[in-house]
Amino acid sequence: MSFVSWMAMLFYLPRLFIYHRENADTKAFTAVVEVQEYKLYAYIGVPAMWATVISGATMLYLNEGIFASGGWMHAKLVFVALLLAYHVSLGRIRKRMIDDAHFKTSKWLRVYNEVPTLLMIGIVIMVVVKPF
């Protein structure tokens, strides 16, 4: 459940950034979106991320020999590390957009919004297919 909640935040927060950017000149709108961005990141994203990391680390600890089963687990953990970096970058973008709503273009934000989808596909392929 924590992974699903975390991924929902990773998918939706950049969408809020797009709305924020496209309505940057409407202060009433951006004020509301800034509150939504904060609550989504701080109240859903951060706890879900920590619950995912802790439960995943616990499963690794309890499953002796998982790293001997092939390189797929190493690759999966690289994708997870990239998701963690993406999560941190969203927090930085959120703070930056408060000061400068024109920080990035809508097009850039739309492309950046696809990053967690690609990482999730990589994670699922590693776990299901175990290509190596």
Side-chain angles (χ1 to χ4, degrees), residues 17 21 23 43 46 52 58 81 91 102 111 115 123:
F17 292 159
R21 173 63 176 92
N23 296 283
Y43 297 152
V46 172
T52 300
T58 301
H102 298 283
V111 171
V115 170
I123 289 169

Side-chain angles (χ1 to χ4, degrees), residues 66-78 126 130-132:
I66 189 72
F67 291 103
S69 65
W72 66 272
M73 179 56 77
H74 296 87
K76 175 195 162 198
L77 291 176
V78 168
M126 290 303 121
K130 296 180 175 102
F132 46 88

